Amino acid sequence: MSLSYTINHESELKDLVDKISPLLQSQQILFFEGEVGSGKTTFIRHLLKSLAIKANQDFHFLGSPTYQREHHYKFKKLNLIHFDFYQVDEKIYIDLEDYIMNNCLLIEWPLKDLKKRYLPDAMLIKINIKDQSRIIELSSPNPKWLP
Protein backbone atom coordinates (compact mmCIF):
# COMPACT_ATOMS: atom_id res chain seq x y z
CA MET A 1 0.00 0.00 0.00
CA SER A 2 1.37 3.43 -0.86
CA LEU A 3 0.50 7.12 -1.11
CA SER A 4 2.13 9.69 -3.35
CA TYR A 5 2.50 13.45 -2.80
CA THR A 6 3.83 16.12 -5.15
CA ILE A 7 5.74 18.87 -3.39
CA ASN A 8 6.41 21.98 -5.48
CA HIS A 9 8.05 24.05 -2.75
CA GLU A 10 9.82 23.14 0.49
CA SER A 11 7.19 25.01 2.54
CA GLU A 12 4.62 22.40 1.40
CA LEU A 13 6.43 19.70 3.41
CA LYS A 14 4.85 20.98 6.63
CA ASP A 15 1.42 19.52 5.81
CA LEU A 16 2.89 16.12 4.96
CA VAL A 17 5.19 15.85 7.99
CA ASP A 18 2.36 17.01 10.25
CA LYS A 19 0.42 13.92 9.09
CA ILE A 20 3.35 11.59 9.76
CA SER A 21 4.79 12.95 13.01
CA PRO A 22 1.85 11.86 15.24
CA LEU A 23 2.36 8.28 14.02
CA LEU A 24 5.93 8.07 15.29
CA GLN A 25 6.73 5.93 18.32
CA SER A 26 9.68 4.08 19.79
CA GLN A 27 10.61 0.87 18.01
CA GLN A 28 9.68 2.22 14.57
CA ILE A 29 11.84 2.71 11.50
CA LEU A 30 11.49 5.09 8.57
CA PHE A 31 13.71 4.38 5.55
CA PHE A 32 14.51 7.31 3.21
CA GLU A 33 15.58 6.72 -0.39
CA GLY A 34 16.26 9.09 -3.27
CA GLU A 35 19.14 10.37 -5.31
CA VAL A 36 21.67 12.81 -3.88
CA GLY A 37 20.00 16.20 -3.44
CA SER A 38 16.44 14.88 -3.65
CA GLY A 39 15.50 16.15 -0.18
CA LYS A 40 15.86 13.23 2.23
CA THR A 41 17.66 15.29 4.87
CA THR A 42 15.33 18.24 4.32
CA PHE A 43 12.32 15.98 4.88
CA ILE A 44 13.88 14.69 8.12
CA ARG A 45 14.62 18.25 9.29
CA HIS A 46 10.97 19.22 8.78
CA LEU A 47 9.79 16.05 10.52
CA LEU A 48 11.98 16.74 13.56
CA LYS A 49 10.89 20.38 13.63
CA SER A 50 7.24 19.26 13.63
CA LEU A 51 7.93 17.01 16.62
CA ALA A 52 9.71 19.83 18.46
CA ILE A 53 6.79 22.20 17.91
CA LYS A 54 4.29 19.61 19.16
CA ALA A 55 6.48 18.99 22.23
CA ASN A 56 6.88 22.75 22.76
CA GLN A 57 10.63 22.22 22.79
CA ASP A 58 13.61 24.07 21.41
CA PHE A 59 15.16 22.33 18.45
CA HIS A 60 18.51 22.49 16.68
CA PHE A 61 18.96 20.37 13.58
CA LEU A 62 22.41 18.79 13.47
CA GLY A 63 22.43 18.29 9.71
CA SER A 64 23.09 15.12 7.80
CA PRO A 65 25.11 12.53 9.73
CA THR A 66 26.93 11.39 6.57
CA TYR A 67 30.32 11.27 8.31
CA GLN A 68 29.23 10.79 11.92
CA ARG A 69 26.72 8.07 10.87
CA GLU A 70 24.16 9.08 13.52
CA HIS A 71 22.62 12.03 15.32
CA HIS A 72 20.42 11.71 18.41
CA TYR A 73 17.37 13.87 19.16
CA LYS A 74 15.47 13.76 22.43
CA PHE A 75 11.95 15.07 22.74
CA LYS A 76 9.71 14.85 25.79
CA LYS A 77 7.88 11.70 24.69
CA LEU A 78 10.09 10.36 21.90
CA ASN A 79 13.76 9.84 21.15
CA LEU A 80 14.92 9.62 17.55
CA ILE A 81 18.15 8.61 15.89
CA HIS A 82 18.95 9.88 12.40
CA PHE A 83 21.29 7.52 10.52
CA ASP A 84 22.97 8.02 7.15
CA PHE A 85 24.52 4.95 5.53
CA TYR A 86 25.55 6.61 2.25
CA GLN A 87 29.20 5.65 2.60
CA VAL A 88 28.66 2.27 4.29
CA ASP A 89 29.60 -0.88 2.38
CA GLU A 90 26.58 -3.12 1.70
CA LYS A 91 28.63 -6.09 2.94
CA ILE A 92 28.80 -4.73 6.48
CA TYR A 93 26.26 -6.18 8.90
CA ILE A 94 24.57 -3.55 11.04
CA ASP A 95 22.45 -4.55 14.02
CA LEU A 96 19.79 -2.03 15.04
CA GLU A 97 18.32 -3.98 17.96
CA ASP A 98 20.02 -1.92 20.69
CA TYR A 99 19.08 1.32 18.95
CA ILE A 100 15.45 0.53 18.27
CA MET A 101 14.50 -0.48 21.82
CA ASN A 102 13.89 3.08 23.05
CA ASN A 103 14.05 5.09 19.84
CA CYS A 104 12.41 5.79 16.52
CA LEU A 105 14.96 5.40 13.71
CA LEU A 106 15.21 7.62 10.63
CA ILE A 107 17.56 5.98 8.11
CA GLU A 108 18.86 7.61 4.95
CA TRP A 109 20.40 5.30 2.34
CA PRO A 110 19.23 2.08 4.03
CA LEU A 111 21.32 -0.99 3.34
CA LYS A 112 19.61 -3.87 1.51
CA ASP A 113 20.00 -6.16 4.51
CA LEU A 114 18.30 -3.62 6.82
CA LYS A 115 15.37 -3.24 4.45
CA LYS A 116 15.06 -7.01 4.15
CA ARG A 117 14.96 -7.44 7.94
CA TYR A 118 12.87 -4.43 8.97
CA LEU A 119 10.71 -3.30 6.03
CA PRO A 120 7.65 -5.39 6.96
CA ASP A 121 7.06 -3.04 9.91
CA ALA A 122 8.77 0.09 8.59
CA MET A 123 7.74 2.97 6.37
CA LEU A 124 9.67 3.54 3.16
CA ILE A 125 9.82 7.14 1.95
CA LYS A 126 11.09 7.51 -1.62
CA ILE A 127 11.78 10.97 -2.97
CA ASN A 128 12.10 11.48 -6.71
CA ILE A 129 12.85 14.69 -8.58
CA LYS A 130 10.58 15.65 -11.45
CA ASP A 131 11.36 19.03 -13.01
CA GLN A 132 11.48 21.35 -9.97
CA SER A 133 9.07 19.24 -7.90
CA ARG A 134 9.58 16.34 -5.55
CA ILE A 135 7.41 13.26 -5.77
CA ILE A 136 7.27 11.71 -2.30
CA GLU A 137 6.00 8.17 -2.10
CA LEU A 138 5.11 6.70 1.29
CA SER A 139 4.79 2.92 1.34
CA SER A 140 4.61 0.15 3.88
CA PRO A 141 3.25 -3.36 4.13
CA ASN A 142 1.85 -2.21 7.49
CA PRO A 143 -1.27 0.00 7.00
CA LYS A 144 -0.72 1.82 10.33
CA TRP A 145 1.80 4.03 8.56
CA LEU A 146 -0.33 5.52 5.85
CA PRO A 147 -1.94 8.78 6.97
Side-chain angles (χ1 to χ4, degrees), residues 24 28-33 39-49 51 59-75 78-86 96 99-100 103-110 114 127:
L24 300 182
Q28 292 179 329
I29 299 175
L30 285 78
F31 291 123
F32 292 84
E33 292 184 333
K40 297 176 297 298
T41 302
T42 300
F43 189 103
I44 290 171
R45 176 172 42 89
H46 281 274
L47 187 61
L48 292 168
K49 183 177 179 181
L51 291 167
F59 167 69
H60 174 72
F61 185 61
L62 300 172
S64 177
T66 302
Y67 300 104
Q68 299 87 352
R69 300 281 185 260
E70 64 188 71
H71 288 313
H72 294 249
Y73 296 93
K74 295 187 183 297
F75 297 104
L78 182 65
N79 297 323
L80 295 101
I81 303 175
H82 177 193
F83 289 99
D84 185 324
F85 295 133
Y86 179 68
L96 298 177
Y99 290 102
I100 200 168
N103 303 287
C104 177
L105 308 182
L106 311 174
I107 302 175
E108 292 186 60
W109 303 100
L114 291 177
I127 304 174

Short mmCIF file of all heavy atoms in Angstrom, two decimals, residues 24 28-33 39-49 51 59-75 78-86 96 99-100 103-110 114 127:
data_model
loop_
_atom_site.label_atom_id
_atom_site.label_comp_id
_atom_site.label_asym_id
_atom_site.label_seq_id
_atom_site.Cartn_x
_atom_site.Cartn_y
_atom_site.Cartn_z
N LEU A 24 4.62 8.56 14.86
CA LEU A 24 5.93 8.07 15.29
C LEU A 24 5.94 7.65 16.75
O LEU A 24 5.40 8.32 17.61
CB LEU A 24 7.00 9.15 15.07
CG LEU A 24 7.19 9.61 13.63
CD1 LEU A 24 8.31 10.63 13.55
CD2 LEU A 24 7.44 8.45 12.70
N GLN A 28 10.10 2.10 15.97
CA GLN A 28 9.68 2.22 14.57
C GLN A 28 10.86 2.68 13.72
O GLN A 28 11.78 3.33 14.22
CB GLN A 28 8.55 3.23 14.43
CG GLN A 28 7.26 2.76 15.05
CD GLN A 28 6.16 3.79 14.92
OE1 GLN A 28 6.39 4.99 14.91
NE2 GLN A 28 4.93 3.31 14.83
N ILE A 29 10.78 2.34 12.43
CA ILE A 29 11.84 2.71 11.50
C ILE A 29 11.22 3.36 10.26
O ILE A 29 10.23 2.86 9.72
CB ILE A 29 12.66 1.49 11.06
CG1 ILE A 29 13.35 0.84 12.27
CG2 ILE A 29 13.70 1.88 10.01
CD1 ILE A 29 14.09 -0.45 11.93
N LEU A 30 11.83 4.47 9.84
CA LEU A 30 11.49 5.09 8.57
C LEU A 30 12.74 5.04 7.70
O LEU A 30 13.81 5.50 8.12
CB LEU A 30 11.07 6.55 8.75
CG LEU A 30 9.68 6.80 9.31
CD1 LEU A 30 9.65 6.58 10.80
CD2 LEU A 30 9.23 8.19 8.97
N PHE A 31 12.61 4.44 6.52
CA PHE A 31 13.71 4.38 5.55
C PHE A 31 13.49 5.50 4.53
O PHE A 31 12.38 5.69 4.04
CB PHE A 31 13.71 3.04 4.81
CG PHE A 31 14.08 1.86 5.66
CD1 PHE A 31 13.21 0.79 5.77
CD2 PHE A 31 15.29 1.80 6.32
CE1 PHE A 31 13.55 -0.32 6.52
CE2 PHE A 31 15.63 0.70 7.08
CZ PHE A 31 14.76 -0.37 7.18
N PHE A 32 14.56 6.21 4.18
CA PHE A 32 14.51 7.31 3.21
C PHE A 32 15.42 6.98 2.03
O PHE A 32 16.61 6.74 2.21
CB PHE A 32 14.97 8.63 3.85
CG PHE A 32 14.03 9.14 4.89
CD1 PHE A 32 14.08 8.67 6.19
CD2 PHE A 32 13.07 10.09 4.57
CE1 PHE A 32 13.20 9.14 7.16
CE2 PHE A 32 12.19 10.56 5.53
CZ PHE A 32 12.25 10.08 6.82
N GLU A 33 14.82 6.98 0.83
CA GLU A 33 15.58 6.72 -0.39
C GLU A 33 15.35 7.85 -1.39
O GLU A 33 14.28 8.46 -1.41
CB GLU A 33 15.15 5.40 -1.02
CG GLU A 33 15.52 4.19 -0.22
CD GLU A 33 15.16 2.88 -0.90
OE1 GLU A 33 14.22 2.85 -1.72
OE2 GLU A 33 15.84 1.89 -0.61
N GLY A 39 16.21 15.55 -1.31
CA GLY A 39 15.50 16.15 -0.18
C GLY A 39 15.28 15.25 1.01
O GLY A 39 14.43 15.54 1.86
N LYS A 40 16.02 14.16 1.10
CA LYS A 40 15.86 13.23 2.23
C LYS A 40 16.15 13.93 3.55
O LYS A 40 15.35 13.87 4.48
CB LYS A 40 16.78 12.01 2.06
CG LYS A 40 16.46 11.16 0.85
CD LYS A 40 17.45 10.04 0.66
CE LYS A 40 18.87 10.47 0.41
NZ LYS A 40 19.10 11.26 -0.81
N THR A 41 17.28 14.61 3.63
CA THR A 41 17.66 15.29 4.87
C THR A 41 16.72 16.45 5.16
O THR A 41 16.35 16.69 6.32
CB THR A 41 19.12 15.78 4.79
OG1 THR A 41 19.97 14.65 4.53
CG2 THR A 41 19.56 16.44 6.08
N THR A 42 16.28 17.14 4.14
CA THR A 42 15.33 18.24 4.32
C THR A 42 14.02 17.73 4.89
O THR A 42 13.44 18.32 5.80
CB THR A 42 15.09 18.97 2.98
OG1 THR A 42 16.34 19.48 2.52
CG2 THR A 42 14.08 20.09 3.12
N PHE A 43 13.55 16.60 4.37
CA PHE A 43 12.32 15.98 4.88
C PHE A 43 12.49 15.66 6.37
O PHE A 43 11.61 15.95 7.19
CB PHE A 43 12.01 14.71 4.08
CG PHE A 43 10.67 14.11 4.38
CD1 PHE A 43 9.62 14.28 3.50
CD2 PHE A 43 10.44 13.37 5.53
CE1 PHE A 43 8.37 13.73 3.75
CE2 PHE A 43 9.20 12.82 5.80
CZ PHE A 43 8.17 12.99 4.91
N ILE A 44 13.62 15.06 6.72
CA ILE A 44 13.88 14.69 8.12
C ILE A 44 13.94 15.93 9.00
O ILE A 44 13.39 15.94 10.11
CB ILE A 44 15.15 13.83 8.22
CG1 ILE A 44 14.88 12.45 7.59
CG2 ILE A 44 15.63 13.71 9.67
CD1 ILE A 44 16.11 11.58 7.42
N ARG A 45 14.55 17.00 8.51
CA ARG A 45 14.62 18.25 9.29
C ARG A 45 13.21 18.76 9.58
O ARG A 45 12.89 19.14 10.70
CB ARG A 45 15.43 19.30 8.53
CG ARG A 45 15.46 20.65 9.25
CD ARG A 45 16.41 21.65 8.60
NE ARG A 45 16.39 21.68 7.16
CZ ARG A 45 15.58 22.46 6.41
NH1 ARG A 45 14.71 23.25 7.02
NH2 ARG A 45 15.65 22.44 5.11
N HIS A 46 12.35 18.76 8.58
CA HIS A 46 10.97 19.22 8.78
C HIS A 46 10.21 18.29 9.73
O HIS A 46 9.40 18.76 10.54
CB HIS A 46 10.24 19.33 7.44
CG HIS A 46 10.59 20.57 6.68
ND1 HIS A 46 9.97 21.77 6.87
CD2 HIS A 46 11.53 20.79 5.72
CE1 HIS A 46 10.48 22.69 6.08
NE2 HIS A 46 11.43 22.11 5.36
N LEU A 47 10.45 17.01 9.64
CA LEU A 47 9.79 16.05 10.52
C LEU A 47 10.21 16.29 11.98
O LEU A 47 9.36 16.35 12.88
CB LEU A 47 10.14 14.62 10.09
CG LEU A 47 9.42 13.48 10.79
CD1 LEU A 47 7.93 13.55 10.58
CD2 LEU A 47 9.96 12.15 10.28
N LEU A 48 11.48 16.48 12.21
CA LEU A 48 11.98 16.74 13.56
C LEU A 48 11.46 18.09 14.09
O LEU A 48 11.10 18.21 15.26
CB LEU A 48 13.51 16.71 13.58
CG LEU A 48 14.13 15.34 13.34
CD1 LEU A 48 15.62 15.47 13.08
CD2 LEU A 48 13.86 14.39 14.48
N LYS A 49 11.41 19.07 13.23
CA LYS A 49 10.89 20.38 13.63
C LYS A 49 9.42 20.27 14.03
O LYS A 49 8.99 20.86 15.02
CB LYS A 49 11.05 21.39 12.49
CG LYS A 49 10.60 22.78 12.84
CD LYS A 49 10.84 23.74 11.70
CE LYS A 49 10.37 25.13 12.07
NZ LYS A 49 10.58 26.08 10.97
N LEU A 51 7.95 17.65 15.30
CA LEU A 51 7.93 17.01 16.62
C LEU A 51 8.30 17.99 17.72
O LEU A 51 7.70 17.98 18.80
CB LEU A 51 8.88 15.81 16.64
CG LEU A 51 8.45 14.62 15.78
CD1 LEU A 51 9.60 13.64 15.63
CD2 LEU A 51 7.23 13.93 16.39
N PHE A 59 14.65 23.34 19.37
CA PHE A 59 15.16 22.33 18.45
C PHE A 59 16.31 22.90 17.63
O PHE A 59 16.24 24.03 17.14
CB PHE A 59 14.02 21.89 17.51
CG PHE A 59 14.47 21.09 16.33
CD1 PHE A 59 14.96 19.80 16.51
CD2 PHE A 59 14.41 21.62 15.06
CE1 PHE A 59 15.37 19.06 15.42
CE2 PHE A 59 14.81 20.88 13.97
CZ PHE A 59 15.30 19.60 14.15
N HIS A 60 17.37 22.14 17.54
CA HIS A 60 18.51 22.49 16.68
C HIS A 60 18.83 21.29 15.81
O HIS A 60 19.20 20.24 16.33
CB HIS A 60 19.72 22.88 17.55
CG HIS A 60 20.95 23.11 16.74
ND1 HIS A 60 21.11 24.22 15.94
CD2 HIS A 60 22.06 22.36 16.58
CE1 HIS A 60 22.28 24.14 15.34
NE2 HIS A 60 22.87 23.02 15.70
N PHE A 61 18.67 21.45 14.52
CA PHE A 61 18.96 20.37 13.58
C PHE A 61 20.47 20.24 13.40
O PHE A 61 21.16 21.22 13.14
CB PHE A 61 18.28 20.63 12.24
CG PHE A 61 18.42 19.49 11.27
CD1 PHE A 61 17.92 18.24 11.56
CD2 PHE A 61 19.06 19.69 10.06
CE1 PHE A 61 18.05 17.19 10.66
CE2 PHE A 61 19.19 18.66 9.14
CZ PHE A 61 18.69 17.40 9.45
N LEU A 62 20.98 19.04 13.54
CA LEU A 62 22.41 18.79 13.47
C LEU A 62 22.92 18.53 12.06
O LEU A 62 24.11 18.33 11.86
CB LEU A 62 22.77 17.60 14.37
CG LEU A 62 22.42 17.77 15.84
CD1 LEU A 62 22.63 16.48 16.61
CD2 LEU A 62 23.23 18.91 16.44
N GLY A 63 22.03 18.53 11.09
CA GLY A 63 22.43 18.29 9.71
C GLY A 63 22.48 16.81 9.39
O GLY A 63 22.07 15.96 10.18
N SER A 64 22.99 16.51 8.22
CA SER A 64 23.09 15.12 7.80
C SER A 64 24.24 14.43 8.51
O SER A 64 25.35 14.97 8.56
CB SER A 64 23.31 15.03 6.29
OG SER A 64 23.46 13.68 5.91
N PRO A 65 24.02 13.24 9.04
CA PRO A 65 25.11 12.53 9.73
C PRO A 65 25.95 11.67 8.77
O PRO A 65 26.35 10.57 9.11
CB PRO A 65 24.35 11.67 10.74
CG PRO A 65 23.06 11.37 10.06
CD PRO A 65 22.73 12.60 9.25
N THR A 66 26.21 12.17 7.57
CA THR A 66 26.93 11.39 6.57
C THR A 66 28.25 10.87 7.11
O THR A 66 28.60 9.70 6.90
CB THR A 66 27.18 12.24 5.31
OG1 THR A 66 25.92 12.67 4.81
CG2 THR A 66 27.90 11.43 4.24
N TYR A 67 29.00 11.70 7.81
CA TYR A 67 30.32 11.27 8.31
C TYR A 67 30.26 10.74 9.73
O TYR A 67 31.03 9.87 10.10
CB TYR A 67 31.32 12.43 8.18
CG TYR A 67 31.47 12.86 6.75
CD1 TYR A 67 30.88 14.03 6.29
CD2 TYR A 67 32.15 12.07 5.84
CE1 TYR A 67 30.98 14.41 4.97
CE2 TYR A 67 32.26 12.44 4.50
CZ TYR A 67 31.67 13.60 4.08
OH TYR A 67 31.77 13.96 2.76
N GLN A 68 29.35 11.25 10.54
CA GLN A 68 29.23 10.79 11.92
C GLN A 68 28.41 9.50 12.00
O GLN A 68 28.45 8.79 12.97
CB GLN A 68 28.55 11.85 12.79
CG GLN A 68 29.27 13.15 12.88
CD GLN A 68 28.89 14.11 11.75
OE1 GLN A 68 28.20 13.75 10.80
NE2 GLN A 68 29.38 15.32 11.84
N ARG A 69 27.62 9.22 11.00
CA ARG A 69 26.72 8.07 10.87
C ARG A 69 25.42 8.20 11.65
O ARG A 69 24.43 7.61 11.29
CB ARG A 69 27.38 6.74 11.26
CG ARG A 69 28.55 6.35 10.48
CD ARG A 69 28.15 5.77 9.14
NE ARG A 69 29.33 5.28 8.46
CZ ARG A 69 29.96 5.94 7.50
NH1 ARG A 69 29.51 7.09 7.09
NH2 ARG A 69 31.04 5.45 6.95
N GLU A 70 25.41 8.96 12.76
CA GLU A 70 24.16 9.08 13.52
C GLU A 70 24.11 10.37 14.32
O GLU A 70 25.13 10.87 14.78
CB GLU A 70 23.98 7.89 14.46
CG GLU A 70 25.03 7.79 15.55
CD GLU A 70 24.95 6.52 16.35
OE1 GLU A 70 25.29 5.45 15.80
OE2 GLU A 70 24.56 6.59 17.52
N HIS A 71 22.90 10.89 14.44
CA HIS A 71 22.62 12.03 15.32
C HIS A 71 21.42 11.65 16.19
O HIS A 71 20.46 11.05 15.71
CB HIS A 71 22.26 13.29 14.53
CG HIS A 71 23.40 13.93 13.80
ND1 HIS A 71 24.63 14.16 14.37
CD2 HIS A 71 23.49 14.39 12.54
CE1 HIS A 71 25.42 14.74 13.50
NE2 HIS A 71 24.76 14.88 12.36
N HIS A 72 21.49 12.03 17.46
CA HIS A 72 20.42 11.71 18.41
C HIS A 72 19.61 12.97 18.73
O HIS A 72 20.17 14.04 18.93
CB HIS A 72 21.03 11.15 19.71
CG HIS A 72 21.71 9.85 19.51
ND1 HIS A 72 21.24 8.68 20.03
CD2 HIS A 72 22.83 9.51 18.82
CE1 HIS A 72 22.03 7.68 19.69
NE2 HIS A 72 23.01 8.16 18.96
N TYR A 73 18.29 12.79 18.80
CA TYR A 73 17.37 13.87 19.16
C TYR A 73 16.46 13.36 20.26
O TYR A 73 15.89 12.27 20.16
CB TYR A 73 16.53 14.29 17.95
CG TYR A 73 17.35 14.87 16.83
CD1 TYR A 73 17.83 14.06 15.80
CD2 TYR A 73 17.68 16.22 16.80
CE1 TYR A 73 18.60 14.58 14.78
CE2 TYR A 73 18.44 16.75 15.78
CZ TYR A 73 18.90 15.92 14.78
OH TYR A 73 19.67 16.44 13.76
N LYS A 74 16.32 14.15 21.30
CA LYS A 74 15.47 13.76 22.43
C LYS A 74 14.35 14.78 22.59
O LYS A 74 14.59 15.96 22.79
CB LYS A 74 16.30 13.70 23.71
CG LYS A 74 17.36 12.61 23.65
CD LYS A 74 18.05 12.44 24.98
CE LYS A 74 19.16 11.42 24.91
NZ LYS A 74 18.78 10.09 24.59
N PHE A 75 13.13 14.27 22.50
CA PHE A 75 11.95 15.07 22.74
C PHE A 75 11.28 14.53 24.00
O PHE A 75 11.63 13.46 24.49
CB PHE A 75 11.00 15.03 21.54
CG PHE A 75 11.61 15.63 20.30
CD1 PHE A 75 12.08 14.82 19.27
CD2 PHE A 75 11.75 17.00 20.17
CE1 PHE A 75 12.65 15.36 18.14
CE2 PHE A 75 12.33 17.55 19.04
CZ PHE A 75 12.78 16.73 18.02
N LEU A 78 9.53 11.20 22.96
CA LEU A 78 10.09 10.36 21.90
C LEU A 78 11.54 10.71 21.64
O LEU A 78 11.89 11.89 21.55
CB LEU A 78 9.28 10.56 20.61
CG LEU A 78 9.66 9.74 19.40
CD1 LEU A 78 9.43 8.25 19.66
CD2 LEU A 78 8.87 10.20 18.18
N ASN A 79 12.36 9.68 21.54
CA ASN A 79 13.76 9.84 21.15
C ASN A 79 13.92 9.31 19.72
O ASN A 79 13.34 8.29 19.37
CB ASN A 79 14.68 9.06 22.08
CG ASN A 79 14.62 9.56 23.49
OD1 ASN A 79 14.50 10.74 23.75
ND2 ASN A 79 14.68 8.64 24.44
N LEU A 80 14.70 10.03 18.92
CA LEU A 80 14.92 9.62 17.55
C LEU A 80 16.41 9.57 17.26
O LEU A 80 17.19 10.35 17.83
CB LEU A 80 14.28 10.62 16.58
CG LEU A 80 12.76 10.68 16.64
CD1 LEU A 80 12.33 11.87 17.44
CD2 LEU A 80 12.17 10.69 15.27
N ILE A 81 16.78 8.67 16.37
CA ILE A 81 18.15 8.61 15.89
C ILE A 81 18.10 8.71 14.37
O ILE A 81 17.39 7.96 13.71
CB ILE A 81 18.87 7.31 16.31
CG1 ILE A 81 18.85 7.16 17.83
CG2 ILE A 81 20.32 7.33 15.81
CD1 ILE A 81 19.44 5.85 18.33
N HIS A 82 18.86 9.65 13.84
CA HIS A 82 18.95 9.88 12.40
C HIS A 82 20.25 9.25 11.91
O HIS A 82 21.34 9.67 12.29
CB HIS A 82 18.94 11.39 12.15
CG HIS A 82 19.10 11.79 10.72
ND1 HIS A 82 19.37 13.10 10.39
CD2 HIS A 82 19.04 11.11 9.56
CE1 HIS A 82 19.46 13.19 9.07
NE2 HIS A 82 19.26 11.99 8.55
N PHE A 83 20.13 8.21 11.10
CA PHE A 83 21.29 7.52 10.52
C PHE A 83 21.45 7.90 9.06
O PHE A 83 20.47 8.17 8.36
CB PHE A 83 21.10 5.99 10.57
CG PHE A 83 21.18 5.38 11.92
CD1 PHE A 83 20.03 5.07 12.62
CD2 PHE A 83 22.40 5.07 12.50
CE1 PHE A 83 20.09 4.48 13.87
CE2 PHE A 83 22.48 4.48 13.75
CZ PHE A 83 21.32 4.18 14.43
N ASP A 84 22.68 7.85 8.57
CA ASP A 84 22.97 8.02 7.15
C ASP A 84 24.02 6.97 6.78
O ASP A 84 25.14 7.00 7.28
CB ASP A 84 23.51 9.43 6.89
CG ASP A 84 23.71 9.72 5.42
OD1 ASP A 84 24.12 8.79 4.68
OD2 ASP A 84 23.49 10.86 5.00
N PHE A 85 23.62 6.04 5.92
CA PHE A 85 24.52 4.95 5.53
C PHE A 85 25.03 5.11 4.10
O PHE A 85 25.37 4.13 3.44
CB PHE A 85 23.81 3.60 5.71
CG PHE A 85 23.49 3.27 7.13
CD1 PHE A 85 22.23 2.80 7.48
CD2 PHE A 85 24.42 3.44 8.14
CE1 PHE A 85 21.93 2.49 8.81
CE2 PHE A 85 24.13 3.15 9.46
CZ PHE A 85 22.88 2.67 9.80
N TYR A 86 25.12 6.35 3.62
CA TYR A 86 25.55 6.61 2.25
C TYR A 86 26.91 5.99 1.94
O TYR A 86 27.11 5.42 0.89
CB TYR A 86 25.57 8.12 1.99
CG TYR A 86 26.03 8.50 0.60
CD1 TYR A 86 25.24 8.19 -0.51
CD2 TYR A 86 27.24 9.15 0.39
CE1 TYR A 86 25.65 8.54 -1.79
CE2 TYR A 86 27.65 9.49 -0.88
CZ TYR A 86 26.85 9.18 -1.96
OH TYR A 86 27.26 9.51 -3.22
N LEU A 96 20.51 -3.18 14.50
CA LEU A 96 19.79 -2.03 15.04
C LEU A 96 19.06 -2.34 16.33
O LEU A 96 18.41 -1.46 16.90
CB LEU A 96 18.78 -1.52 14.01
CG LEU A 96 19.35 -1.00 12.69
CD1 LEU A 96 18.21 -0.62 11.76
CD2 LEU A 96 20.27 0.17 12.93
N TYR A 99 19.54 -0.03 19.24
CA TYR A 99 19.08 1.32 18.95
C TYR A 99 17.55 1.43 18.98
O TYR A 99 17.00 2.42 19.43
CB TYR A 99 19.56 1.76 17.56
CG TYR A 99 21.03 2.01 17.47
CD1 TYR A 99 21.88 1.07 16.90
CD2 TYR A 99 21.59 3.20 17.92
CE1 TYR A 99 23.24 1.30 16.79
CE2 TYR A 99 22.94 3.45 17.82
CZ TYR A 99 23.77 2.49 17.25
OH TYR A 99 25.10 2.73 17.15
N ILE A 100 16.90 0.42 18.47
CA ILE A 100 15.45 0.53 18.27
C ILE A 100 14.65 0.35 19.57
O ILE A 100 13.51 0.79 19.65
CB ILE A 100 14.98 -0.47 17.19
CG1 ILE A 100 13.63 -0.02 16.65
CG2 ILE A 100 14.93 -1.89 17.72
CD1 ILE A 100 13.20 -0.74 15.41
N ASN A 103 13.95 4.01 20.81
CA ASN A 103 14.05 5.09 19.84
C ASN A 103 13.24 4.81 18.59
O ASN A 103 12.95 3.67 18.26
CB ASN A 103 15.52 5.27 19.40
CG ASN A 103 16.44 5.54 20.55
OD1 ASN A 103 16.44 6.62 21.11
ND2 ASN A 103 17.25 4.56 20.91
N CYS A 104 12.94 5.87 17.88
CA CYS A 104 12.41 5.79 16.52
C CYS A 104 13.60 6.08 15.62
O CYS A 104 14.37 7.01 15.87
CB CYS A 104 11.32 6.84 16.33
SG CYS A 104 10.64 6.89 14.66
N LEU A 105 13.79 5.28 14.57
CA LEU A 105 14.96 5.40 13.71
C LEU A 105 14.59 5.99 12.36
O LEU A 105 13.64 5.54 11.71
CB LEU A 105 15.62 4.04 13.51
CG LEU A 105 15.94 3.24 14.77
CD1 LEU A 105 16.63 1.93 14.41
CD2 LEU A 105 16.76 4.04 15.76
N LEU A 106 15.36 6.99 11.94
CA LEU A 106 15.21 7.62 10.63
C LEU A 106 16.48 7.29 9.86
O LEU A 106 17.57 7.72 10.25
CB LEU A 106 15.06 9.13 10.78
CG LEU A 106 14.02 9.62 11.80
CD1 LEU A 106 14.08 11.13 11.96
CD2 LEU A 106 12.63 9.17 11.40
N ILE A 107 16.37 6.52 8.78
CA ILE A 107 17.56 5.98 8.11
C ILE A 107 17.60 6.40 6.65
O ILE A 107 16.78 5.98 5.84
CB ILE A 107 17.59 4.44 8.21
CG1 ILE A 107 17.58 4.02 9.69
CG2 ILE A 107 18.82 3.89 7.49
CD1 ILE A 107 17.50 2.52 9.90
N GLU A 108 18.60 7.25 6.34
CA GLU A 108 18.86 7.61 4.95
C GLU A 108 19.79 6.57 4.34
O GLU A 108 20.67 6.06 5.01
CB GLU A 108 19.55 8.97 4.86
CG GLU A 108 18.68 10.13 5.26
CD GLU A 108 19.37 11.46 5.01
OE1 GLU A 108 19.71 11.76 3.84
OE2 GLU A 108 19.58 12.20 5.99
N TRP A 109 19.59 6.27 3.07
CA TRP A 109 20.40 5.30 2.34
C TRP A 109 20.42 3.96 3.06
O TRP A 109 21.47 3.42 3.40
CB TRP A 109 21.84 5.81 2.16
CG TRP A 109 21.95 7.12 1.45
CD1 TRP A 109 22.13 8.33 2.04
CD2 TRP A 109 21.87 7.36 0.04
NE1 TRP A 109 22.17 9.31 1.08
CE2 TRP A 109 22.02 8.74 -0.16
CE3 TRP A 109 21.68 6.53 -1.07
CZ2 TRP A 109 22.00 9.31 -1.42
CZ3 TRP A 109 21.66 7.11 -2.32
CH2 TRP A 109 21.82 8.48 -2.49
N PRO A 110 19.24 3.36 3.31
CA PRO A 110 19.23 2.08 4.03
C PRO A 110 19.93 0.98 3.24
O PRO A 110 19.82 0.91 2.02
CB PRO A 110 17.73 1.78 4.17
CG PRO A 110 17.09 2.53 3.06
CD PRO A 110 17.91 3.76 2.85
N LEU A 114 19.20 -4.27 5.85
CA LEU A 114 18.30 -3.62 6.82
C LEU A 114 16.88 -3.59 6.29
O LEU A 114 15.93 -3.86 7.03
CB LEU A 114 18.78 -2.20 7.12
CG LEU A 114 20.08 -2.06 7.89
CD1 LEU A 114 20.44 -0.58 8.05
CD2 LEU A 114 19.98 -2.73 9.23
N ILE A 127 11.90 9.62 -2.44
CA ILE A 127 11.78 10.97 -2.97
C ILE A 127 12.42 11.01 -4.35
O ILE A 127 13.60 10.69 -4.50
CB ILE A 127 12.44 12.01 -2.03
CG1 ILE A 127 11.84 11.90 -0.61
CG2 ILE A 127 12.27 13.41 -2.59
CD1 ILE A 127 12.51 12.77 0.42
#
